[in-house]
Coordinates of all heavy atoms in Angstrom, one line a residue:
R1 N 44.0 -22.5 33.5 CA 43.6 -23.3 34.7 C 42.5 -22.5 35.4 O 42.6 -21.3 35.7 CB 44.9 -23.4 35.4 CG 44.9 -23.7 36.8 CD 46.3 -24.1 37.3 NE 46.2 -24.4 38.6 CZ 47.0 -24.2 39.6 NH1 48.2 -23.6 39.2 NH2 46.8 -24.5 40.8
P2 N 41.4 -23.2 35.7 CA 40.3 -22.5 36.4 C 40.6 -22.1 37.8 O 41.4 -22.7 38.5 CB 39.2 -23.6 36.4 CG 39.8 -24.9 36.1 CD 41.2 -24.6 35.5
P3 N 39.9 -21.0 38.2 CA 40.1 -20.5 39.6 C 39.5 -21.5 40.6 O 38.6 -22.3 40.2 CB 39.4 -19.2 39.6 CG 38.6 -19.1 38.4 CD 39.1 -20.1 37.5
K4 N 39.9 -21.4 41.8 CA 39.4 -22.3 42.9 C 38.0 -21.8 43.2 O 37.7 -20.6 43.2 CB 40.3 -22.3 44.1 CG 41.6 -23.0 43.9 CD 42.4 -22.9 45.1 CE 43.8 -23.6 44.8 NZ 44.7 -23.5 46.0
V5 N 37.1 -22.8 43.6 CA 35.8 -22.4 44.1 C 35.9 -21.6 45.4 O 36.6 -22.0 46.3 CB 35.0 -23.7 44.3 CG1 33.6 -23.4 44.8 CG2 34.9 -24.6 43.1
P6 N 35.2 -20.5 45.5 CA 35.2 -19.7 46.7 C 34.6 -20.6 47.9 O 33.7 -21.3 47.7 CB 34.3 -18.5 46.4 CG 34.3 -18.4 44.9 CD 34.4 -19.8 44.4
K7 N 35.2 -20.4 49.0 CA 34.7 -21.2 50.2 C 33.3 -20.8 50.6 O 32.6 -21.6 51.2 CB 35.7 -21.0 51.4 CG 37.0 -21.5 51.2 CD 38.0 -21.3 52.3 CE 39.3 -21.8 52.1 NZ 40.3 -21.5 53.1
D8 N 32.9 -19.6 50.3 CA 31.6 -19.1 50.7 C 30.6 -19.1 49.5 O 29.6 -18.4 49.6 CB 31.7 -17.7 51.3 CG 32.4 -16.7 50.4 OD1 32.7 -17.0 49.2 OD2 32.7 -15.6 50.9
V9 N 30.8 -20.0 48.5 CA 29.9 -20.0 47.4 C 28.5 -20.5 47.7 O 27.5 -20.3 47.0 CB 30.5 -20.8 46.2 CG1 30.5 -22.3 46.4 CG2 29.9 -20.4 44.9
H10 N 28.4 -21.2 48.8 CA 27.1 -21.9 49.1 C 26.0 -21.0 49.6 O 24.8 -21.3 49.6 CB 27.4 -23.0 50.2 CG 28.4 -24.0 49.7 ND1 28.2 -24.8 48.6 CD2 29.7 -24.2 50.1 CE1 29.3 -25.5 48.4 NE2 30.2 -25.2 49.3
S11 N 26.4 -19.8 50.1 CA 25.4 -18.9 50.7 C 26.0 -17.5 50.7 O 27.2 -17.3 50.5 CB 25.0 -19.3 52.1 OG 26.0 -19.3 52.9
I12 N 25.2 -16.5 50.9 CA 25.7 -15.1 50.9 C 26.7 -15.0 52.1 O 26.4 -15.3 53.3 CB 24.5 -14.1 51.1 CG1 23.6 -14.2 49.9 CG2 25.1 -12.7 51.3 CD1 22.4 -13.3 50.0
P13 N 27.9 -14.5 51.8 CA 28.9 -14.4 52.9 C 28.5 -13.3 53.9 O 27.8 -12.4 53.6 CB 30.2 -13.9 52.1 CG 29.9 -14.2 50.7 CD 28.5 -14.2 50.5
L14 N 28.8 -13.6 55.1 CA 28.4 -12.6 56.2 C 29.0 -11.2 56.0 O 28.4 -10.3 56.4 CB 28.9 -13.2 57.6 CG 28.2 -14.5 58.0 CD1 28.9 -15.0 59.3 CD2 26.7 -14.3 58.2
D15 N 30.1 -11.1 55.3 CA 30.7 -9.8 55.1 C 30.4 -9.2 53.8 O 31.0 -8.2 53.3 CB 32.2 -9.9 55.3 CG 32.9 -10.9 54.3 OD1 32.2 -11.7 53.7 OD2 34.1 -10.8 54.1
A16 N 29.4 -9.8 53.1 CA 28.9 -9.2 51.8 C 28.0 -8.0 52.0 O 27.3 -8.0 53.0 CB 28.2 -10.3 51.0
A17 N 28.1 -7.1 51.1 CA 27.1 -6.0 51.0 C 25.9 -6.5 50.2 O 26.1 -7.1 49.2 CB 27.8 -4.8 50.4
V18 N 24.7 -6.2 50.6 CA 23.5 -6.6 49.8 C 22.8 -5.3 49.4 O 22.5 -4.5 50.3 CB 22.6 -7.5 50.7 CG1 21.4 -7.9 49.9 CG2 23.4 -8.7 51.1
T19 N 22.5 -5.2 48.1 CA 21.8 -4.0 47.6 C 20.3 -4.2 47.8 O 19.8 -5.2 48.2 CB 22.1 -3.8 46.1 OG1 21.5 -4.9 45.4 CG2 23.6 -3.7 45.9
S20 N 19.5 -3.1 47.6 CA 18.1 -3.2 47.7 C 17.4 -4.2 46.8 O 16.4 -4.7 47.0 CB 17.4 -1.8 47.5 OG 17.7 -1.3 46.2
S21 N 18.1 -4.5 45.6 CA 17.6 -5.5 44.7 C 17.9 -6.9 45.1 O 17.4 -7.8 44.5 CB 18.2 -5.2 43.3 OG 19.6 -5.6 43.3
G22 N 18.8 -7.1 46.2 CA 19.1 -8.4 46.6 C 20.5 -8.9 46.1 O 20.9 -10.0 46.5
L23 N 21.2 -8.1 45.3 CA 22.5 -8.4 44.8 C 23.5 -8.4 46.0 O 23.6 -7.4 46.7 CB 23.0 -7.5 43.7 CG 24.3 -7.8 43.2 CD1 24.4 -9.1 42.4 CD2 24.8 -6.6 42.3
A24 N 24.2 -9.5 46.2 CA 25.2 -9.6 47.3 C 26.6 -9.5 46.6 O 26.8 -10.2 45.6 CB 25.0 -10.9 48.0
S25 N 27.5 -8.7 47.2 CA 28.8 -8.6 46.6 C 29.8 -8.3 47.7 O 29.4 -7.9 48.8 CB 28.9 -7.5 45.6 OG 28.7 -6.2 46.2
K26 N 31.0 -8.6 47.4 CA 32.1 -8.3 48.4 C 33.4 -8.0 47.5 O 33.6 -8.6 46.5 CB 32.3 -9.3 49.5 CG 33.0 -10.5 49.1 CD 33.1 -11.4 50.4 CE 34.1 -12.5 50.2 NZ 34.3 -13.3 51.4
V27 N 34.2 -7.1 48.0 CA 35.4 -6.8 47.3 C 36.5 -7.8 47.7 O 36.8 -8.0 48.8 CB 35.9 -5.3 47.7 CG1 37.2 -5.0 47.1 CG2 34.9 -4.3 47.3
L28 N 37.0 -8.5 46.6 CA 38.1 -9.4 46.8 C 39.4 -8.8 46.7 O 40.4 -9.2 47.3 CB 38.0 -10.6 45.8 CG 36.6 -11.4 45.9 CD1 36.6 -12.4 44.8 CD2 36.4 -12.0 47.3
K29 N 39.5 -7.8 45.8 CA 40.8 -7.1 45.6 C 40.4 -5.7 45.1 O 39.7 -5.5 44.1 CB 41.6 -7.8 44.5 CG 42.9 -7.2 44.1 CD 43.6 -8.0 43.1 CE 44.9 -7.3 42.6 NZ 45.5 -8.1 41.6
F30 N 40.9 -4.7 45.8 CA 40.7 -3.3 45.4 C 41.4 -2.9 44.2 O 42.6 -3.3 44.0 CB 41.0 -2.3 46.6 CG 40.0 -2.3 47.7 CD1 40.2 -3.1 48.8 CD2 38.9 -1.6 47.6 CE1 39.3 -3.2 49.8 CE2 37.9 -1.6 48.6 CZ 38.1 -2.4 49.7
G31 N 40.8 -2.2 43.3 CA 41.4 -1.7 42.1 C 42.0 -0.3 42.3 O 42.0 0.2 43.4
H32 N 42.6 0.2 41.3 CA 43.3 1.5 41.4 C 42.6 2.6 40.6 O 43.0 3.8 40.6 CB 44.7 1.4 40.9 CG 45.5 0.4 41.6 ND1 45.9 0.5 42.9 CD2 45.9 -0.9 41.2 CE1 46.6 -0.6 43.3 NE2 46.6 -1.4 42.3
G33 N 41.5 2.3 39.9 CA 40.8 3.3 39.1 C 39.9 4.2 39.9 O 39.6 3.9 41.1
R34 N 39.5 5.3 39.3 CA 38.7 6.3 40.0 C 37.3 6.4 39.3 O 36.4 7.0 39.9 CB 39.4 7.6 40.0 CG 40.7 7.7 40.7 CD 41.3 9.1 40.7 NE 42.6 9.1 41.2 CZ 42.9 9.3 42.5 NH1 41.9 9.5 43.4 NH2 44.1 9.3 42.9
R35 N 37.1 5.8 38.2 CA 35.9 5.9 37.5 C 35.1 4.6 37.6 O 35.7 3.5 37.6 CB 36.1 6.2 36.0 CG 36.7 7.6 35.8 CD 36.9 7.9 34.4 NE 36.6 6.9 33.5 CZ 36.9 6.8 32.2 NH1 37.5 7.8 31.7 NH2 36.5 5.8 31.4
Q36 N 33.8 4.7 37.6 CA 32.9 3.5 37.6 C 32.1 3.6 36.3 O 31.7 4.6 35.8 CB 31.9 3.5 38.8 CG 32.6 3.4 40.1 CD 31.6 3.5 41.2 OE1 31.2 4.6 41.5 NE2 31.4 2.5 42.0
P37 N 31.9 2.4 35.7 CA 31.1 2.4 34.5 C 29.6 2.8 34.7 O 29.1 2.5 35.8 CB 31.2 0.9 34.0 CG 31.5 0.1 35.2 CD 32.2 1.0 36.1
G38 N 29.0 3.4 33.7 CA 27.6 3.8 33.8 C 26.8 2.7 33.1 O 27.3 1.8 32.5
P39 N 25.5 2.9 33.1 CA 24.6 1.9 32.6 C 24.8 1.6 31.1 O 24.5 0.5 30.6 CB 23.2 2.4 32.8 CG 23.3 3.7 33.5 CD 24.8 4.0 33.7
G40 N 25.2 2.5 30.3 CA 25.4 2.3 28.9 C 26.9 2.0 28.5 O 27.2 1.9 27.3
A41 N 27.8 1.9 29.5 CA 29.2 1.7 29.3 C 29.4 0.3 28.8 O 28.7 -0.7 29.0 CB 30.0 1.9 30.5
S42 N 30.5 0.1 28.0 CA 31.0 -1.2 27.7 C 32.2 -1.5 28.6 O 33.0 -0.6 28.9 CB 31.5 -1.3 26.2 OG 30.4 -1.3 25.4
V43 N 32.3 -2.8 29.1 CA 33.3 -3.2 30.0 C 34.0 -4.4 29.5 O 33.5 -5.2 28.7 CB 32.8 -3.5 31.4 CG1 32.2 -2.2 32.0 CG2 31.7 -4.6 31.4
T44 N 35.3 -4.6 29.9 CA 36.1 -5.7 29.5 C 36.4 -6.4 30.8 O 37.0 -5.8 31.7 CB 37.3 -5.4 28.7 OG1 36.9 -4.7 27.5 CG2 38.1 -6.6 28.4
V45 N 36.1 -7.7 30.9 CA 36.3 -8.4 32.2 C 36.8 -9.8 32.0 O 36.6 -10.4 30.9 CB 34.9 -8.5 33.0 CG1 34.4 -7.1 33.3 CG2 33.9 -9.3 32.2
D46 N 37.4 -10.4 33.0 CA 37.6 -11.8 33.2 C 36.5 -12.2 34.2 O 36.2 -11.4 35.2 CB 39.0 -12.1 33.8 CG 40.0 -12.4 32.8 OD1 39.7 -13.1 31.8 OD2 41.1 -11.9 32.9
Y47 N 36.0 -13.3 34.1 CA 34.9 -13.7 35.0 C 34.8 -15.2 35.2 O 35.4 -16.0 34.4 CB 33.5 -13.3 34.5 CG 33.1 -14.0 33.2 CD1 32.4 -15.2 33.3 CD2 33.6 -13.7 32.0 CE1 32.0 -15.9 32.2 CE2 33.3 -14.4 30.9 CZ 32.5 -15.5 31.0 OH 32.2 -16.3 29.9
T48 N 34.2 -15.7 36.3 CA 33.9 -17.1 36.6 C 32.6 -17.1 37.3 O 32.3 -16.3 38.1 CB 35.0 -17.7 37.5 OG1 36.3 -17.6 36.8 CG2 34.7 -19.2 37.7
G49 N 31.8 -18.1 36.8 CA 30.5 -18.2 37.5 C 30.3 -19.6 38.1 O 30.8 -20.6 37.4
W50 N 29.8 -19.7 39.3 CA 29.6 -21.0 40.0 C 28.2 -21.1 40.4 O 27.5 -20.1 40.7 CB 30.5 -21.1 41.3 CG 31.9 -21.2 41.1 CD1 32.6 -22.4 40.8 CD2 32.9 -20.2 41.1 NE1 34.0 -22.1 40.7 CE2 34.2 -20.8 40.9 CE3 32.9 -18.8 41.4 CZ2 35.3 -20.1 40.9 CZ3 34.0 -18.1 41.3 CH2 35.2 -18.7 41.1
T51 N 27.7 -22.3 40.5 CA 26.4 -22.6 41.1 C 26.7 -22.6 42.6 O 27.8 -22.7 43.1 CB 25.8 -23.9 40.6 OG1 26.7 -25.0 40.9 CG2 25.6 -23.9 39.1
T52 N 25.6 -22.6 43.4 CA 25.8 -22.6 44.9 C 26.3 -24.0 45.4 O 26.7 -24.0 46.5 CB 24.5 -22.2 45.6 OG1 23.5 -23.1 45.2 CG2 24.1 -20.8 45.3
D53 N 26.3 -25.0 44.5 CA 26.9 -26.3 45.0 C 28.3 -26.4 44.5 O 28.9 -27.5 44.6 CB 26.1 -27.5 44.5 CG 25.9 -27.6 43.0 OD1 26.4 -26.7 42.3 OD2 25.3 -28.6 42.6
G54 N 28.9 -25.3 44.0 CA 30.3 -25.3 43.7 C 30.7 -25.7 42.3 O 31.9 -25.8 42.0
L55 N 29.7 -25.9 41.4 CA 30.0 -26.2 40.0 C 30.3 -25.0 39.2 O 29.5 -24.1 39.1 CB 28.8 -27.0 39.4 CG 28.9 -27.4 38.0 CD1 30.0 -28.4 37.7 CD2 27.6 -27.9 37.4
M56 N 31.5 -24.9 38.6 CA 31.8 -23.8 37.7 C 31.1 -24.0 36.4 O 31.2 -25.1 35.8 CB 33.3 -23.7 37.5 CG 33.7 -22.6 36.6 SD 35.5 -22.5 36.3 CE 35.6 -23.8 35.1
F57 N 30.2 -23.1 36.0 CA 29.5 -23.2 34.8 C 30.0 -22.4 33.6 O 29.7 -22.7 32.5 CB 28.0 -22.9 35.0 CG 27.7 -21.5 35.4 CD1 27.5 -20.5 34.5 CD2 27.5 -21.3 36.8 CE1 27.2 -19.2 34.9 CE2 27.2 -20.0 37.2 CZ 27.1 -19.0 36.3
D58 N 30.9 -21.5 33.9 CA 31.5 -20.7 32.8 C 32.7 -19.9 33.4 O 32.6 -19.5 34.6 CB 30.5 -19.8 32.2 CG 31.0 -19.2 30.8 OD1 32.0 -19.8 30.3 OD2 30.4 -18.3 30.3
S59 N 33.7 -19.7 32.6 CA 34.8 -18.9 33.0 C 35.6 -18.4 31.8 O 35.9 -19.3 30.9 CB 35.7 -19.7 34.0 OG 36.8 -18.9 34.4
S60 N 36.0 -17.2 31.8 CA 36.9 -16.7 30.7 C 38.4 -17.0 31.0 O 39.2 -17.0 30.1 CB 36.8 -15.2 30.6 OG 37.2 -14.5 31.8
I61 N 38.7 -17.4 32.2 CA 40.1 -17.5 32.6 C 40.8 -18.7 32.0 O 41.8 -18.6 31.4 CB 40.2 -17.5 34.2 CG1 39.7 -16.1 34.7 CG2 41.6 -17.8 34.6 CD1 39.6 -16.1 36.2
P62 N 40.2 -19.9 32.0 CA 40.9 -21.1 31.4 C 41.0 -20.9 29.8 O 41.9 -21.4 29.2 CB 40.0 -22.3 31.7 CG 39.2 -21.9 32.8 CD 39.0 -20.4 32.7
R63 N 40.1 -20.1 29.2 CA 40.2 -19.9 27.8 C 41.2 -18.8 27.5 O 41.6 -18.6 26.3 CB 38.8 -19.4 27.3 CG 37.7 -20.5 27.3 CD 36.5 -20.0 26.6 NE 35.9 -18.8 27.1 CZ 34.9 -18.7 28.0 NH1 34.4 -19.9 28.5 NH2 34.4 -17.6 28.4
G64 N 41.6 -18.0 28.5 CA 42.6 -17.0 28.3 C 42.0 -15.8 27.5 O 42.7 -15.1 26.8
E65 N 40.7 -15.6 27.6 CA 40.0 -14.6 26.8 C 39.1 -13.7 27.7 O 38.2 -14.2 28.4 CB 39.0 -15.2 25.8 CG 39.7 -16.1 24.8 CD 38.7 -16.8 23.9 OE1 37.5 -16.6 24.1 OE2 39.1 -17.6 23.1
T66 N 39.4 -12.4 27.7 CA 38.5 -11.5 28.4 C 37.2 -11.4 27.5 O 37.2 -11.8 26.3 CB 39.1 -10.1 28.6 OG1 39.5 -9.6 27.3 CG2 40.3 -10.2 29.5
I67 N 36.2 -10.8 28.0 CA 35.0 -10.5 27.3 C 34.6 -9.1 27.4 O 34.8 -8.5 28.5 CB 33.8 -11.4 27.7 CG1 32.6 -11.2 26.8 CG2 33.5 -11.3 29.1 CD1 31.5 -12.3 27.0
T68 N 34.2 -8.5 26.3 CA 33.7 -7.1 26.3 C 32.3 -7.0 26.0 O 31.8 -7.7 25.0 CB 34.5 -6.2 25.3 OG1 35.9 -6.3 25.7 CG2 34.1 -4.8 25.3
F69 N 31.5 -6.3 26.8 CA 30.1 -6.2 26.5 C 29.5 -4.9 27.1 O 30.0 -4.4 28.0 CB 29.3 -7.4 27.1 CG 29.5 -7.6 28.5 CD1 28.8 -6.9 29.5 CD2 30.4 -8.6 28.9 CE1 29.0 -7.1 30.8 CE2 30.7 -8.8 30.3 CZ 30.0 -8.1 31.2
P70 N 28.4 -4.4 26.5 CA 27.8 -3.2 27.0 C 26.9 -3.6 28.2 O 26.2 -4.7 28.2 CB 26.9 -2.7 25.8 CG 26.7 -3.8 24.9 CD 27.9 -4.8 25.2
L71 N 26.9 -2.8 29.2 CA 26.1 -3.2 30.5 C 24.6 -3.2 30.3 O 23.9 -3.8 31.0 CB 26.5 -2.2 31.6 CG 27.9 -2.4 32.1 CD1 28.2 -1.4 33.2 CD2 28.2 -3.8 32.6
D72 N 24.1 -2.5 29.2 CA 22.7 -2.6 29.0 C 22.3 -3.8 28.1 O 21.1 -3.8 27.7 CB 22.2 -1.2 28.4 CG 22.9 -0.9 27.1 OD1 23.8 -1.6 26.6 OD2 22.5 0.2 26.5
H73 N 23.2 -4.7 27.9 CA 22.9 -5.9 27.2 C 23.1 -7.2 28.0 O 23.3 -8.3 27.4 CB 23.7 -6.0 25.9 CG 23.2 -5.0 24.8 ND1 23.4 -3.7 24.9 CD2 22.6 -5.3 23.7 CE1 22.9 -3.1 23.8 NE2 22.4 -4.1 23.1
V74 N 23.2 -7.1 29.3 CA 23.4 -8.3 30.1 C 22.3 -8.3 31.2 O 21.6 -7.3 31.4 CB 24.8 -8.2 30.8 CG1 25.9 -8.3 29.7 CG2 25.1 -7.0 31.6
I75 N 22.3 -9.4 32.0 CA 21.3 -9.5 33.0 C 21.5 -8.4 34.1 O 22.6 -7.9 34.3 CB 21.3 -10.9 33.7 CG1 22.7 -11.2 34.3 CG2 21.0 -12.0 32.7 CD1 22.7 -12.5 35.2
Q76 N 20.5 -8.1 34.8 CA 20.5 -7.0 35.7 C 21.6 -7.1 36.8 O 22.2 -6.1 37.1 CB 19.1 -6.9 36.4 CG 19.0 -5.7 37.4 CD 17.7 -5.6 38.1 OE1 16.8 -6.4 37.8 NE2 17.5 -4.7 39.0
G77 N 21.8 -8.3 37.3 CA 22.8 -8.5 38.3 C 24.2 -8.1 37.9 O 25.0 -7.5 38.6
W78 N 24.6 -8.5 36.6 CA 25.9 -8.1 36.0 C 26.0 -6.6 35.9 O 27.0 -6.0 36.3 CB 26.0 -8.8 34.6 CG 26.7 -10.1 34.6 CD1 26.1 -11.3 35.0 CD2 28.0 -10.4 34.3 NE1 27.1 -12.3 34.8 CE2 28.3 -11.7 34.4 CE3 29.1 -9.6 33.9 CZ2 29.5 -12.3 34.1 CZ3 30.3 -10.1 33.6 CH2 30.5 -11.5 33.8
S79 N 24.9 -6.0 35.3 CA 25.0 -4.6 35.1 C 25.1 -3.8 36.4 O 25.9 -3.0 36.6 CB 23.7 -4.2 34.4 OG 23.7 -2.8 34.1
E80 N 24.3 -4.2 37.4 CA 24.3 -3.6 38.7 C 25.6 -3.7 39.4 O 26.2 -2.8 39.9 CB 23.2 -4.1 39.6 CG 23.1 -3.5 40.9 CD 22.0 -4.1 41.8 OE1 21.2 -4.9 41.3 OE2 21.9 -3.7 43.0
G81 N 26.1 -5.0 39.4 CA 27.4 -5.2 40.1 C 28.6 -4.6 39.5 O 29.4 -4.0 40.2
L82 N 28.7 -4.6 38.2 CA 29.8 -3.9 37.5 C 29.8 -2.4 37.7 O 30.9 -1.8 37.7 CB 29.9 -4.4 36.1 CG 30.3 -5.8 35.9 CD1 30.1 -6.3 34.5 CD2 31.8 -5.9 36.2
Q83 N 28.6 -1.8 37.8 CA 28.6 -0.4 38.0 C 29.0 0.0 39.4 O 29.4 1.2 39.6 CB 27.1 0.1 37.7 CG 26.8 0.1 36.3 CD 25.4 0.6 36.0 OE1 25.1 1.8 36.2 NE2 24.5 -0.3 35.7
M84 N 29.0 -0.9 40.3 CA 29.5 -0.7 41.7 C 31.0 -0.7 41.8 O 31.6 -0.3 42.8 CB 28.8 -1.7 42.6 CG 27.3 -1.5 42.7 SD 26.4 -2.8 43.6 CE 27.6 -3.6 44.7
M85 N 31.7 -1.3 40.8 CA 33.1 -1.5 40.9 C 33.9 -0.2 40.6 O 33.4 0.7 39.9 CB 33.6 -2.6 39.9 CG 33.1 -3.9 40.3 SD 33.7 -5.1 39.1 CE 33.3 -6.6 40.0

């Protein structure tokens, strides 16, 4: 079952952190790990992507499949954001 559309998907949330590259992010749930992935690391994630009008364009959650990929093989925003986690 797909996740609900975030209420603040239409624009950058007021409580979001914005990096010098323009990537906006906010912590929804704190994790328990102590290590952050580096630029060449591989990560395994569940994800959902929405357009700013609230249309979900992709999600691993309804498929029940996580995805694993190296951070140096994805778009800059994914790589930058995941290294901040």
Side-chain angles (χ1 to χ4, degrees):
R1 159 171 181 216
K4 294 180 181 178
V5 178
K7 293 178 182 175
D8 55 9
V9 74
H10 305 292
S11 61
I12 296 174
L14 296 175
D15 59 344
V18 180
T19 67
S20 61
S21 72
L23 178 69
S25 67
K26 74 181 201 179
V27 175
L28 301 178
K29 181 180 177 183
F30 284 95
H32 302 288
R34 296 182 188 270
R35 296 182 355 192
Q36 292 174 292
S42 286
V43 297
T44 301
V45 299
D46 269 316
Y47 68 93
T48 302
W50 289 277
T51 60
T52 56
D53 62 355
L55 176 67
M56 183 181 72
F57 61 85
D58 195 13
S59 180
S60 65
I61 296 169
R63 293 190 301 267
E65 300 173 0
T66 57
I67 185 170
T68 300
F69 53 83
L71 291 181
D72 56 359
H73 285 74
V74 295
I75 62 172
Q76 182 180 357
W78 267 80
S79 182
E80 181 182 356
L82 286 167
Q83 289 179 71
M84 294 169 24
M85 293 183 170

